[in-house]
Amino acid sequence: MGVVPKRRLLPDTIAPSWLVVQLLGTLFFAATLLTARETDPGIWTAYGVATACWLGFVLLAPRRPKTAAALLAVASALPAAIVGRAGDSSAILLSVIALGRLATLTSVSVGTILGFGLLDIALAVTSHALAGQSLGGTLADPGVMLLLVLLGLNRRQYEVQATQAQALLEQTRFAQAEHARAAALDERTRIARELHDVLAHSLGALGVQLELADALLTERSDVDGALRAVRRSRRLAADGLAEARDAVAALRRDVLPLTGTLAATAAAHARDHRVTVAFDADGETRPLPSAAVVALVGIAREALTNAGKHAPGEDVRMRLSYASGVVRLDVRNALGAFTRTGEGFGLAGMRERLALAGGALTSGPEDGDWRVLAEVPA
């Protein structure tokens, strides 16, 4: 089975979104450190360790996301622990950059993100309290941290939904491709069966007629009987060739024009048997699956053949109706001279073929006529 390739957006082919965020975060870290006004070596040590953890996160994020997330948590916690001692806003900037990025990671659970966020807020509040700052100053930095965590989680949810939507889209495409492949295989199997049935029926009947002609000539010297058998053989060969051509046309996806084909079939029968075949169609014409078209055309030919064989000289009426949700083919001929009232192998085979197309076939005497009615859903 094939795998549907992933479709990537143009910006992602230039630079993935995660890489852009990493680069921007690194630039913010660098700018913050360059503009920091600190003289305390301990604070600079915390800044240095936090920066090293950020760089480790950037390098390890594509390959080892769990380790990268742990480094990012350290990068946010160290500056948060010294915001009260810092002489400017550098510490809080470093902390919220790392914390905000941590909140967007899809490789970490929401509970873990909230846990680290609350830890950083607690460290910031403690740092401000130890530095003896006012309540307003103590709550300002934790408020900014909380806001960044919420914004990061919102972005994370968007990425999760986008990933799920992409996965669902790929699964849908894959399912559609597999459905189309299965439908194509089913159609080819059906056509192979049609060809097999056509050839088996036509060649079998043709062989019987030729054997009969041979027997009439060699055993009885009946030239007229042999000539009739040869003529029947020729008609069987022509009918088999026409059915095989229709099956090949369906295989090539050249869906038969149903109304025109039935009209031509009726005209050919009228010409060959010197009878009247009245054909008409009603309803709004619409395309049908090739399986249904081939089955309906085959049923029309079989019904006409039976009429010519068992009710010679009788006129035939054939109607094609496009109704709501169904297409009907109704073939009738006078029952008066009909020499057979049972269903032969021809109609039985057509019933099976029509069933494969989801349709149904009924045949039998009705109101003084022999009626063959085929219905397919459409």
Side-chain angles (χ1 to χ4, degrees):
M1 291 189 290
V3 177
V4 179
K6 294 183 179 180
R7 295 187 178 182
R8 301 180 64 191
L9 299 176
L10 179 60
D12 285 340
T13 63
I14 299 173
S17 58
W18 62 266
L19 180 58
V20 174
V21 173
Q22 319 295 56
L23 291 175
L24 289 177
T26 303
L27 291 176
F28 274 115
F29 255 82
T32 302
L33 293 176
L34 290 175
T35 57
R37 297 187 300 273
E38 293 291 345
T39 58
D40 188 339
I43 294 179
W44 275 107
T45 300
Y47 287 173
V49 175
T51 303
C53 289
W54 171 268
L55 294 176
F57 159 74
V58 172
L59 295 175
L60 296 177
R63 298 183 300 275
R64 302 180 64 181
K66 296 295 184 181
T67 303
L71 292 174
L72 196 58
V74 175
S76 67
L78 286 176
I82 59 172
V83 290
R85 296 169 49 197
D88 56 17
S89 60
S90 299
I92 188 61
L93 288 175
L94 295 178
S95 180
V96 296
I97 291 172
L99 185 59
R101 184 66 183 103
L102 177 65
T104 64
L105 297 181
T106 57
S107 60
V108 182
S109 67
V110 174
T112 302
I113 293 172
L114 291 176
F116 280 117
L118 293 176
L119 174 62
D120 290 353
I121 290 174
L123 290 174
V125 170
T126 302
S127 179
H128 280 292
L130 292 176
Q133 296 184 3
S134 63
L135 181 62
T138 301
L139 296 179
D141 289 344
V144 173
M145 289 179 173
L146 179 60
L147 177 62
L148 263 294
V149 170
L150 294 178
L151 291 176
L153 288 175
N154 181 70
R155 173 64 185 179
R156 178 186 184 278
Q157 184 64 20
Y158 170 78
E159 290 186 5
V160 169
Q161 291 176 348
T163 301
Q164 292 174 345
Q166 181 65 24
L168 180 61
L169 180 60
E170 291 177 3
Q171 291 176 358
T172 301
R173 288 173 179 159
F174 180 75
Q176 289 174 343
E178 287 300 302
H179 177 74
R181 178 174 174 270
L185 290 176
D186 182 68
E187 182 73 358
R188 279 156 177 76
T189 301
R190 185 192 65 80
I191 297 299
R193 183 173 53 250
E194 289 283 343
L195 287 173
H196 175 271
D197 291 347
V198 167
L199 293 176
H201 173 74
S202 301
L203 294 178
L206 184 60
V208 170
Q209 293 299 321
L210 291 176
E211 288 180 3
L212 176 61
D214 180 70
L216 290 173
L217 286 174
T218 58
E219 297 177 8
R220 300 183 183 180
S221 299
D222 185 356
V223 177
D224 291 337
L227 184 58
R228 287 193 298 270
V230 170
R231 287 172 178 168
R232 284 195 295 270
S233 300
R234 184 174 61 186
R235 286 196 300 270
L236 286 171
D239 292 342
L241 181 61
E243 291 187 16
R245 186 182 298 113
D246 292 343
V248 171
L251 180 61
R252 296 178 59 186
R253 292 288 189 262
D254 299 332
V255 179
L256 299 171
L258 181 58
T259 303
T261 302
L262 291 178
T265 301
H269 181 83
R271 181 181 62 252
D272 295 340
H273 293 78
R274 300 180 183 275
V275 296
T276 299
V277 180
F279 172 74
D280 61 308
D282 57 68
E284 183 179 353
T285 303
R286 53 185 178 274
L288 295 176
S290 59
V293 173
V294 172
L296 289 176
V297 172
I299 287 168
R301 289 200 179 108
E302 185 69 25
L304 291 173
T305 298
N306 286 342
K309 183 186 302 182
H310 301 295
E314 295 290 346
D315 293 337
V316 182
R317 303 186 306 278
M318 185 161 58
R319 174 182 292 273
L320 178 66
S321 302
Y322 289 88
S324 176
V326 67
V327 176
R328 298 184 179 92
L329 175 64
D330 191 351
V331 185
R332 297 171 180 256
N333 60 272
L335 188 60
F338 211 81
T339 61
R340 184 175 186 177
T341 57
E343 184 177 280
F345 292 110
L347 282 178
M350 286 298 170
R351 184 190 303 277
E352 294 173 359
R353 296 183 191 182
L354 193 62
L356 293 174
L361 177 70
T362 57
S363 62
E366 182 179 308
D367 299 331
D369 290 333
W370 180 265
R371 185 189 190 194
V372 176
L373 176 64
E375 297 180 320
V376 293

